Amino acid sequence: KDVSFNVKKGEILGLFGLMGAGRTNIIEAIYGVRKISSGEVLLKGEPVTIDSPESAMKYGIAYLPAERKLEGLLLDHPVSENIVLASIDKRLGTVKLHLQKEKEIAHKWVKELNIKTPSISTEVQTLSGGNQQKVVLAKALEVEPEIILLNEPTRGIDVGAKIEIYKLIESLCEQGKAVIMISSEIPEIMGIADRIVVVCEGRVTGELTREEFDSDAMMNL
């Protein structure tokens, strides 16, 4: 309720709050997982109706969920299948997978994101947490989004993988993408965001520019 904010091309907008504050609900509403009961979403100044993840993807919005094993991956399927999962219609033209095209796409992202896997045929559940997260990112980026919603993108992964993901997020902004990132870690969100919107008990309680970043101020909000 009373949730309003904007994000610009080439910007990382941080969404900060305690667990249960409603951050994920907001992101899922933008992505069409949850129904918006009032208000509107504007894309490039024009109102849009997003009532499903499919419609969100058509508008160039991608989502990286917080629970990758539950919401982001088919754990007993190969790396290659997971990467093309969200873009089957767009890339392959039919639900009947074109295996050669699938392999090309998978090899491209394995190289680009430095995904450490024995092969693209390896089941995703055997990879480390950081490499599983990179597979989810590859799946999201293969949709060629303009707006990327990241929900705790570095949760449960080692320091090396975190640094790689930070660099990737920054490179996406350099390409002109807009990023909205949820994080529960104050040092992380202060380190990467351009602006921070604070959410408490389902409401936006404040917005801080980089010059105003302060951990005490954020906790007070």
Side-chain angles (χ1 to χ4, degrees), residues 146-165:
E146 292 301 315
I147 301 163
I148 302 157
L149 313 174
L150 304 174
N151 195 346
E152 304 281 9
T154 65
R155 178 188 287 174
I157 63 178
D158 64 41
V159 173
K162 280 188 179 185
I163 292 168
E164 286 187 87
I165 287 174

Side-chain angles (χ1 to χ4, degrees), residues 8-23:
K8 304 176 183 72
K9 291 180 69 170
E11 180 182 41
I12 302 171
L13 179 70
L15 211 56
F16 176 77
L18 303 179
M19 294 294 288
R23 302 164 306 166

Side-chain angles (χ1 to χ4, degrees), residues 29-30 32 36 40-43 46-52 55-56 59:
I30 295 170
I36 297 174
E40 58 185 357
V41 175
L42 303 177
L43 188 60
E46 298 295 325
V48 293
T49 300
I50 299 172
D51 52 14
S52 69
S55 61
Y59 282 115

Side-chain angles (χ1 to χ4, degrees), residues 131-176:
N131 286 297
Q132 287 182 0
Q133 192 73 316
K134 289 179 187 177
V135 171
V136 184
L137 272 166
K139 180 181 75 170
L141 296 177
E142 181 57 25
V143 179
E144 296 184 330
E146 292 301 315
I147 301 163
I148 302 157
L149 313 174
L150 304 174
N151 195 346
E152 304 281 9
T154 65
R155 178 188 287 174
I157 63 178
D158 64 41
V159 173
K162 280 188 179 185
I163 292 168
E164 286 187 87
I165 287 174
Y166 294 150
K167 288 179 179 176
L168 173 64
I169 294 169
E170 287 173 352
S171 74
L172 292 171
C173 288
E174 288 168 6
Q175 296 167 34

